[in-house]
Amino acid sequence: MNWTWFHRFGSAPYMYGFAQRWAPWFGGVAALLMLIALYGGLVLAPLDYQQKDAYRIVYVHAPSATLSLMIYTTMAIAAAVGLIWRMKVAHAAAAASAPIGAWFTVATLITGSLWGKPMWGTYWAWDPRLTSELILLFLYLGYMGLRAAIEDPQKADKASAVLAIVGVVNIPIIKYSVNWWNSLHQPATRLLGKADMVWSMVWPLLVMFLAFMLFYGAVLLIRLRAELLRRERGASWVREVLS
Amino acid sequence: MKTSALTAAKLVAARDLRLAFRKPSQLLQPLLFFMIVATLFPLTLTPELSRLRDAAPGVLWIGALLSSLLALEFLFRDDAVDGTLEQFALSGQSLTWMLFAKTCTHWLLTGLPLALSAPLAALALGVPVQALVSMIAALALGSFALSLVGAICAGLTLGARRGGVLLSLLTLPLSVPILVFGSDATRHAIAGTEIAGPMYMLGAIAVLGVTLAPLAAAAAVRIGLE
C-alpha cells in the first residue's frame, strides 16, 4: 500500500488548510450529536432505580473522564512521533492538545464532585480514582509549565515530549484504579455485551462519547491552526494565507 | 584502548563521591532539612505520641520527598554550568551509563543517609523499635526510585531558566506511586503487619526505574545541552 498521502500531514501549510476545512465539520457534527445525546440522556432515558435522576450527570462525567485519559495518550503519541520522526506538526498537535486535556480533567473533577455530593454525601474523598485523576491534572499542568519555561521552541518541544512519554505510566494506573482497589468510586460500567445498563440509557452515552471525541477534534484543529501560525510566523506560506 | 561503559560509569561515580566529600556541608543540608521538617510536625500537629504515631508514615515520607527534591537540584546543575555534562555527552561513552552512575551516587549521598538517619526522627514520633528495620528498607528503596524519577525531571529542567520550582512541579506527580506504596509499607511496619505487598510494588517501581529512567534522563540531558 502506498502511504505517501500520509506524509502531507507533516507539512505545516497542508495541515493548516486541512484544519481550516475540517474544523467546522467536526464541530458541527459534534454539536448535533451532543444535542441528540442530551435529549436521549435527559429526557428519554428512564430513572435509575438507585440513583434516580442524579445519575444523569454520567452523560457529561464519563465522556469527560474518558477524554481526559485519551487526550493525554494522544498527546504522548504525538510527542513520540515528533521526537522520533522530527515532525514539527506532531509537536504542535501535542502542544495544542494539552490545555484541552487539562480542561476535560477539570470538567471530570467538577462533575464528579457534583455527583459525589448526593451519592456519597461528600464533594471529595481521597479515593484512588479521584486522587489519580487529580494527579493527571498536575501532569498536564507540569507539561504546560515545562513548555512555557523553556524559551527555545525546539528545546521546549523535545523536553516536553520526553515528559509526556514518561507520564504515560500513570495512565493505566488511573484507568484500572477502580478495578485494582476497592474504593468509593463505582467500578467501570459495562456498556456492551452483558451490559449493566438498559439500552435506552446506554445509547445516549455512546453518542455522547462520539460527540466529545469530535468536539476534541474540532477544538484541536482550531488550536492547531493558531499554534502553526505562531510557530511559522516567519514563513512565506503564513504571509500568503493571511494576506 | 577504549574504556568500557562500566569503567566510565565507575570513574564518574568515583569523581562525584570525591567532589561530594570535599564539600561536606552540602551533604548534610538535606539531612538537616529532613530533621527540621520532622520536628515541625509535633510542634504544629500535636505533642501526643499516640497521635503522632498515626501521622508518622506521612511525616517521614513527605520529609524524605521534600529533602530529596531539595538535593535533586544539584544532581546535574553544577555539571551543566561548568560544561562537565557536555564533555560527558561528547566523550563517546554511553551517556545513559554515566548518568545512571551519577544518579546512583546521588542516592548514596542523599537517599541512603536519609533512610539510615530516619530512625532518629521516627523514634521521636513514637514509632516502635521493631518497625525501624522495615522502615529503613522501605525508605532506602523508595528514595532510590525517587532519585531515578528525579533524574529525568532534573534533566528536563536543564534547559529552563529558574528550574527549581518547575523541577518540583514535574517530579511530584510522578512520585505519587512511590509515595503511596512507601507510606503504606511504613504504616504496616508500625502496625506490626506484613509489609511484603507494598515492598514488592516499590521494588517493581525501582526495577522499572532502573530500566527506563537512565535512558529518559540521557535523552533529556541531550536536549538540554543542544
Side-chain angles (χ1 to χ4, degrees):
Chain A
M1 200 172 152
N2 190 0
W3 280 90
T4 43
W5 60 270
F6 189 72
H7 293 175
R8 287 179 307 185
F9 288 98
S11 133
Y14 178 81
M15 199 61 216
Y16 181 85
F18 178 86
Q20 194 166 27
R21 254 174 290 128
W22 283 95
W25 287 100
F26 274 71
V29 177
L32 188 69
L33 289 181
M34 240 176 244
L35 285 175
I36 295 172
L38 277 180
Y39 185 71
L42 299 186
V43 181
L44 297 182
L47 274 184
D48 184 75
Y49 77 97
Q50 236 182 351
Q51 307 194 356
K52 307 291 178 243
D53 265 330
Y55 87 93
R56 290 182 202 272
I57 204 167
V58 76
Y59 295 111
V60 186
H61 178 69
S64 303
T66 307
L67 265 280
S68 71
L69 294 176
M70 197 191 87
I71 293 174
Y72 192 92
T73 317
T74 314
M75 189 175 91
I77 293 171
V81 168
L83 208 57
I84 296 166
W85 288 288
R86 291 161 197 272
M87 258 175 77
K88 277 185 286 180
V89 175
H91 281 308
S97 287
I100 315 174
W103 277 117
F104 272 119
T105 315
V106 170
T108 310
L109 290 168
I110 291 176
T111 54
S113 67
L114 289 178
W115 197 2
K117 185 66 186 170
M119 290 305 120
W120 305 333
T122 172
Y123 285 110
W124 180 261
W126 291 103
D127 148 283
R129 189 31 107 49
L130 277 63
T131 313
S132 55
E133 185 74 15
L134 183 64
I135 289 157
L136 180 65
L137 179 63
F138 293 149
L139 273 180
Y140 275 120
L141 295 179
Y143 175 89
M144 292 191 277
L146 181 65
R147 191 171 264 294
I150 302 178
E151 268 164 40
D152 178 5
Q154 285 189 339
K155 236 187 215 183
D157 276 347
K158 287 184 190 164
S160 56
V162 172
L163 181 68
I165 296 164
V166 170
V168 161
V169 293
N170 272 337
I171 296 295
I173 298 181
I174 304 170
K175 176 98 174 73
Y176 295 106
S177 56
V178 283
N179 302 340
W180 289 346
W181 291 280
N182 279 323
S183 62
L184 203 52
H185 195 283
Q186 58 185 331
T189 305
R190 282 167 298 178
L191 294 180
L192 300 171
K194 216 177 108 206
D196 293 330
M197 292 161 85
V198 291
W199 178 244
S200 57
M201 281 181 181
V202 170
W203 75 258
L205 193 54
L206 294 177
V207 174
M208 200 56 124
F209 275 124
L210 195 61
F212 267 55
M213 280 175 206
L214 288 171
F215 173 76
Y216 163 56
V219 180
L220 175 64
L221 289 176
I222 294 167
R223 291 192 58 95
L224 188 58
R225 273 177 67 198
E227 185 74 26
L228 288 173
L229 282 183
R230 198 177 57 76
R231 285 163 178 252
E232 305 265 308
R233 54 189 175 272
S236 57
W237 69 266
V238 173
R239 228 167 298 139
E240 275 165 40
V241 165
L242 293 185
S243 60
Chain B
M1 197 184 85
K2 197 171 180 301
T3 332
S4 76
L6 205 59
T7 319
K10 275 185 205 155
L11 288 171
V12 169
R15 166 188 173 271
D16 275 12
L17 285 174
R18 210 174 305 131
L19 278 176
F21 282 110
R22 286 195 187 146
K23 260 193 271 173
S25 67
Q26 209 171 330
L27 278 179
L28 287 174
Q29 275 170 11
L31 271 184
L32 205 58
F33 177 82
F34 174 70
M35 289 300 168
I36 294 173
V37 169
T39 317
L40 291 179
F41 278 91
L43 294 177
T44 51
L45 211 59
T46 165
E48 246 175 88
L49 271 191
S50 60
R51 283 175 64 200
L52 276 177
R53 193 176 302 136
D54 292 338
V59 174
L60 294 168
W61 277 89
I62 298 287
L65 177 69
L66 292 180
S67 87
S68 98
L69 269 181
L70 199 71
L72 210 56
E73 267 229 76
F74 306 108
L75 177 53
F76 295 141
R77 196 154 288 276
D78 290 347
D79 282 347
V81 169
D82 68 11
T84 312
L85 271 188
E86 212 141 26
Q87 294 302 321
F88 282 178
L90 292 172
S91 67
Q93 286 293 344
S94 154
L95 188 61
T96 311
W97 272 98
M98 292 203 253
L99 296 187
F100 182 53
K102 272 189 87 65
T103 313
C104 290
T105 326
H106 180 258
W107 172 75
L108 277 178
L109 293 169
T110 59
L112 192 60
L114 191 136
L116 292 175
S117 60
L120 203 59
L123 287 175
L125 294 171
V127 172
V129 178
Q130 60 269 27
L132 292 182
V133 176
S134 328
M135 195 200 71
I136 293 173
L139 271 174
L141 196 55
S143 61
F144 184 50
L146 281 176
S147 293
L148 288 163
V149 171
I152 305 174
C153 299
L156 286 174
T157 49
L158 276 184
R161 279 190 297 158
R162 291 193 305 275
V165 182
L166 187 66
L167 180 60
S168 332
L169 197 66
L170 302 186
T171 316
L172 290 176
L174 293 176
S175 59
V176 166
I178 303 167
L179 220 58
V180 168
F181 294 114
S183 59
D184 202 29
T186 310
R187 198 173 308 115
H188 280 296
I190 292 174
T193 47
E194 188 62 58
I195 66 159
M199 284 301 277
Y200 283 143
M201 286 306 286
L202 270 186
I205 294 171
V207 168
L208 187 73
V210 167
T211 332
L212 297 179
L215 290 169
V221 165
R222 272 189 210 284
I223 294 161
L225 291 176
E226 263 172 26

